[in-house]
Amino acid sequence: MITEEYLYAIALRECSLIGDINFHKLVRTFGSAEEAWKKAKKEYSKTDGIGQKTVADIGNEEYLKFAEKEIKFCEKNGVMMRLRHLNELPHLLNECDDAPAILYQKGNLEDSLKKVSIVGTRNMTSYGKEFIGDFFEASKSSRYVSVSGLALGVDKEVHEQSIQHKIPTIAVLAHGFHTLYPSKNKKLSEKILQEGGTLLTEFNSSRKPDRENFIQRNRIIAGISPSTIVVETGFGGGSISTASFANDYNREVFALPGKITDPHSQGCNKLIFQNKAAAISTIKDLTDSLGFNHSKEKTAELFPYSETDIQLTGVQQTVYESIKAHPQVSLDDLAQMISVSSYKILPVILELELLGKVKSFSGRQFMAI
């Protein structure tokens, strides 16, 4: 049932200077969106960091009229509303400081199932497509929900593979439910709902798919899951922002490495190089890291190798032995141990990660596998 609290929440969030963080501050101070709407303009000083200019719009009757229309739109189109301050958001997303005050939802959302966010370029190559197919094949016996952004390329492939493998999928949109962007994915969005999946957005029915909305949308993709996988992306790809949000939220990030000459992989390689993502060496290692290792089915390796076949170069061997002798050694300490500049060591460590010999941790620390 949609109560008056939802009405006031929509109206309050519509105020020009009331973003998600200020909304949360006000509701925490006054106890509800309704009370904030009625009291915050006169009693704003009760809330830290809120000034008179911030609350100037509160109480505007036009926003209440808009909220009434929005509620009618939701009721007519089968859209559910979730309010953060009523603890109605998915639990991991609710932990984020900048979580949306209001989340609009179509379809079912099983929050008890683990979620894995998978993102990447719109210009996916056969390499990325093969990886996504192999990942879903290897994890099909696990119970989880995939999350992506319903864009073309990697996102589309993630949702389609989820449906094909009977895995629920969540599509996070960068606009309201009055439209569907890109229009090419309209049938896919309908299929997601038919197969028990979910469409989510923080944007009301007045919001179009403007450029800035996509970056804002990406924080939900990162925040809703404990792990984010970046398949293919260039240096300036939107998936880099998703990885950054995931890092800020202290979530796991995995990236699919590729050739340094391939523009579709340069963003992933950079994330790995900067220690902002763990390199994916094999599908099995990835599914193990995600907690899917209970699967009895055999999983194919992305980069198969035999231990006896690996021949390390001289510098690789030196770096590897030093890391092996000093578990979770820092980059600076490692550089001092072997008398080699840190900027020269990093590429060697990346090579060792790709070979499955070394694992990196936050804070530029490393351990031999």
Side-chain angles (χ1 to χ4, degrees):
M1 180 182 175
I2 298 178
T3 64
E4 282 205 337
E5 183 64 7
Y6 293 85
L7 175 77
Y8 287 105
I10 295 169
L12 186 63
R13 183 61 182 83
E14 194 66 11
C15 295
S16 57
L17 295 180
I18 307 298
D20 294 312
I21 293 175
N22 282 340
F23 181 101
H24 193 56
K25 284 181 180 179
L26 291 170
V27 169
R28 196 166 48 200
T29 298
F30 295 100
S32 70
E34 182 175 358
E35 288 301 300
W37 180 264
K38 293 176 178 178
K39 296 179 179 179
K41 196 164 185 175
K42 291 182 179 179
E43 302 176 25
Y44 65 87
S45 59
K46 290 182 177 180
T47 308
D48 290 339
I50 299 290
Q52 189 172 8
K53 186 178 179 181
T54 304
V55 300
D57 269 359
I58 295 178
N60 188 328
E61 288 295 319
E62 291 303 312
Y63 295 140
L64 277 178
K65 291 178 182 177
F66 172 81
E68 289 173 355
K69 289 180 181 178
E70 190 65 19
I71 288 174
K72 289 178 181 177
F73 173 86
C74 290
E75 290 175 333
K76 182 180 178 180
N77 293 279
V79 177
M80 291 175 277
M81 284 183 286
R82 293 171 170 260
L83 301 185
R84 182 190 180 190
H85 66 281
L86 297 185
N87 294 315
E88 294 175 341
L89 266 58
H91 71 281
L92 278 180
L93 183 60
N94 195 52
E95 293 176 359
C96 305
D97 290 338
D98 58 351
I102 307 170
L103 202 58
Y104 298 90
Q105 173 186 325
K106 273 191 175 184
N108 301 313
L109 197 158
E110 182 51 73
D111 199 34
S112 63
L113 288 180
K114 185 173 185 176
K115 297 169 188 65
V116 179
S117 295
I118 309 173
V119 296
T121 179
R122 287 168 170 77
N123 301 309
M124 179 182 58
T125 70
S126 57
Y127 173 60
K129 184 173 183 176
E130 182 180 357
F131 165 78
I132 294 169
D134 288 347
F135 172 77
F136 277 99
E137 183 64 27
S139 61
K140 64 183 179 183
S141 61
S142 301
R143 296 191 73 240
Y144 71 100
V145 180
S146 72
V147 183
S148 201
L150 201 66
L152 300 175
V154 167
D155 291 14
K156 182 174 184 284
E157 187 69 18
V158 167
H159 296 307
E160 288 180 341
Q161 288 286 343
S162 296
I163 291 169
Q164 182 180 327
H165 289 89
K166 306 298 182 185
I167 292 169
T169 188
I170 296 172
V172 186
L173 310 179
H175 52 76
F177 278 122
H178 62 297
T179 188
L180 196 288
Y181 179 86
S183 57
K184 289 180 180 179
N185 282 347
K186 183 168 176 52
K187 287 187 177 179
L188 176 57
S189 71
E190 294 168 354
K191 186 70 173 174
I192 288 171
L193 295 176
Q194 288 170 9
E195 296 298 322
T198 317
L199 303 181
L200 289 178
T201 182
E202 65 183 301
F203 301 106
N204 60 48
S205 63
S206 72
R207 299 293 297 276
K208 299 176 182 178
D210 296 325
R211 184 180 180 86
E212 62 270 17
N213 292 357
F214 289 88
I215 299 296
Q216 195 170 326
R217 178 273 307 271
N218 289 348
R219 84 190 195 291
I220 295 180
I221 296 175
I224 202 170
S225 302
S227 305
T228 292
I229 300 170
V230 185
V231 178
E232 288 183 305
T233 187
F235 281 133
S239 301
I240 299 296
S241 70
T242 309
S244 296
F245 284 124
N247 276 291
D248 290 343
Y249 299 147
N250 198 29
R251 307 292 160 80
E252 288 184 310
V253 181
F254 302 91
L256 179 67
K259 293 179 181 179
I260 61 174
T261 55
D262 187 346
H264 299 95
S265 292
Q266 286 172 347
C268 288
N269 291 342
K270 188 173 183 181
L271 286 171
I272 296 166
F273 183 77
Q274 293 180 334
N275 209 35
K276 293 179 179 178
I280 298 170
S281 57
T282 70
I283 294 289
K284 184 180 185 305
D285 285 346
L286 175 60
T287 54
D288 285 351
S289 296
L290 294 172
F292 297 164
N293 53 344
H294 61 274
S295 173
K296 295 180 180 179
E297 297 196 19
K298 185 178 179 181
T299 55
E301 292 190 350
L302 179 62
F303 301 114
Y305 63 88
S306 168
E307 289 289 341
T308 56
D309 291 337
I310 296 177
Q311 297 295 323
L312 300 182
T313 64
V315 66
Q316 286 175 339
Q317 190 68 42
T318 299
V319 172
Y320 174 71
E321 292 298 336
S322 299
I323 294 174
K324 188 176 182 181
H326 304 87
Q328 288 198 258
V329 63
S330 71
L331 180 62
D332 291 341
D333 289 342
L334 184 61
Q336 192 172 1
M337 283 178 198
I338 62 178
S339 300
V340 177
S341 300
S342 58
Y343 77 90
K344 291 184 179 179
I345 295 175
L346 272 175
V348 179
I349 291 174
L350 176 56
E351 292 167 359
L352 291 171
E353 280 195 270
L354 296 180
L355 291 169
K357 303 291 286 183
V358 165
K359 185 175 182 179
S360 62
F361 296 88
S362 60
R364 289 194 169 186
Q365 295 181 320
F366 311 97
M367 185 175 74
I369 300 173

